[in-house]
């Protein structure tokens, strides 16, 4: 459905244009947004003068990582909403940002399928690259490093709640729909996967064995989430599935599941 823009209060640049008129350019704007956010975070850390940032091999302080991760995810979420407001029909019509009660059940089922499929993809990739240490194919080391810190809860909140919403709206919303409108479904899904996976690469070299395994798993998750969004024509189920997958990852990384099992 399209509507003609020409209501009072809209700028002259928008009058007479047919909604939705967002496109690939709006999707690609995510790149400079991430760069700007990263630069601002680096400047903030330097100005606040933490001594862990002084050496070439020094790690960022935990507070900086926690705050940066949260701000980054908020930026990823706000951009598609701004685009939809200025150029589209609203997040529900443009990106399928809508929830129904049935999304809880669908999301749970999708999460199980996604984790099973990602496990198989990771196992195949590990066999191909000869990965022996399973932890090299994970990107949750930061959470274990943060145990005992109050910033751990900021990271958990970001990973389990904020990131699934932001990333589904951006990757299975704006990016998927923009490329689908221009190039069709198959290309759109491929692009959404290629954009999503590198964002989750951990330290250790992009083409290291561990990163290949991690990319295989993340890419599989992205494929399942994209198919879910396309089939349901909304993001509710994929958001729920993404939350469950991330929550399971957090619980596993922090050893909560092992502690629960040990009690019985």
């Amino acid at each position: 459905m399209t509507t003609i823009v020409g209501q009072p209060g809209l700028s002259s640049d928008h009058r007479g244009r047919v909604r939705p008129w967002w496109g690939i350019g709006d999707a690609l704007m995510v790149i400079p947004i991430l760069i700007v956010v990263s630069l601002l975070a680096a400047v903030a850390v330097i100005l606040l003068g933490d001594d862990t940032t002084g050496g070439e091999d020094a790690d960022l302080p935990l507070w900086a990582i926690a705050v940066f991760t949260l701000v980054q995810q908020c930026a990823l979420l706000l951009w598609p909403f701004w685009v939809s407001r200025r150029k589209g029909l609203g997040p529900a019509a443009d990106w399928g940002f809508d929830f129904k009660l049935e999304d809880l059940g669908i999301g749970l089922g999708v999460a199980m399928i996604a984790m099973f499929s990602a496990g198989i993809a990771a196992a195949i990739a590990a066999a191909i690259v000869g990965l022996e240490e399973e932890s090299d194919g994970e990107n949750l080391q930061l959470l274990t490093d943060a145990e005992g810190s109050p910033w751990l809860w900021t990271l958990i909140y970001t990973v389990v709640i904020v990131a699934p919403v932001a990333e589904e709206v951006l990757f299975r919303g704006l990016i998927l729909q923009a490329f689908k409108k221009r190039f069709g479904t198959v290309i759109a899904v491929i692009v959404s996967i290629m954009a999503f996976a590198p964002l989750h690469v951990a330290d250790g070299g992009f083409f290291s064995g561990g990163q290949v395994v991690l990319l295989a798993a993340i890419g599989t998750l992205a494929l399942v989430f994209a198919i879910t969004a396309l089939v349901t024509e909304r993001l509710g189920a994929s958001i729920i599935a993404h939350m469950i997958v991330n929550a399971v990852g957090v619980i596993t990384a922090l050893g909560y599941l092992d502690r629960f099992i040990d009690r019985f």
Side-chain angles (χ1 to χ4, degrees):
M1 181 181 71
T2 58
T3 57
I4 302 298
V5 177
Q7 294 101 352
L10 293 174
S11 67
S12 59
D13 292 336
H14 295 160
R15 288 177 182 164
R17 308 188 87 168
V18 178
R19 290 181 183 259
W21 48 279
W22 41 260
I24 293 176
D26 299 297
L28 295 178
M29 273 299 295
V30 171
I31 298 174
I33 288 174
L34 287 176
I35 292 174
V36 169
V37 172
S38 299
L39 290 175
L40 291 176
V43 170
V45 171
I46 292 173
L47 292 178
L48 290 172
D50 195 289
D51 57 11
T52 60
T53 62
E56 181 179 350
D57 298 323
D59 294 327
L60 285 174
L62 184 59
W63 68 263
I65 297 175
V67 172
F68 166 71
T69 303
L70 179 58
V71 171
Q72 178 194 60
Q73 292 296 331
C74 288
L76 295 182
L77 176 62
L78 292 175
W79 174 247
F81 275 81
W82 187 89
V83 170
S84 183
R85 175 178 173 80
R86 298 292 293 175
K87 301 181 179 182
L89 302 171
D94 289 336
W95 322 132
F97 188 69
D98 186 28
F99 291 88
K100 295 183 179 180
L101 185 60
E102 63 194 62
D103 289 334
L104 295 175
I106 297 174
L108 177 59
V110 169
M112 296 175 65
I113 294 172
M115 288 186 287
F116 179 75
S117 302
I120 293 177
I124 294 174
I128 293 175
V129 301
L131 183 70
E132 297 181 359
E133 181 58 48
E134 185 177 336
S135 62
D136 289 342
E138 300 175 352
N139 62 351
L140 295 171
Q141 182 61 41
L142 178 61
L143 290 171
T144 57
D145 293 342
E147 282 195 275
S149 168
W151 292 106
L152 173 63
W153 296 105
T154 301
L155 288 168
I156 291 176
Y157 173 74
T158 302
V159 170
V160 177
I161 303 298
V162 181
V165 177
E167 293 175 359
E168 291 307 305
V169 172
L170 175 63
F171 295 104
R172 262 65 70 178
L174 172 58
I175 293 177
L176 181 65
Q177 295 301 328
F179 279 87
K180 179 184 176 183
K181 184 167 66 172
R182 180 70 178 271
F183 297 108
T185 301
V186 175
I187 297 298
V189 170
I190 293 174
V191 171
S192 69
I193 293 173
M194 293 177 64
F196 178 76
L199 191 65
H200 298 79
V201 170
D203 295 332
F206 195 87
F207 295 106
S208 66
Q211 297 312 304
V212 171
V213 173
L214 179 60
L215 286 172
I218 295 296
T220 302
L221 293 175
L223 174 62
V224 174
F225 294 156
I227 293 174
T228 302
L230 290 169
V231 171
T232 61
E233 297 184 337
R234 60 181 185 278
L235 298 178
S238 63
I239 290 175
I240 296 298
H242 198 151
M243 287 181 174
I244 293 173
V245 169
N246 283 13
V248 171
V250 169
I251 291 171
T252 303
L254 295 177
Y256 293 156
L257 182 60
D258 292 337
R259 296 172 195 173
F260 177 79
I261 294 175
D262 290 342
R263 291 184 179 180
F264 298 94

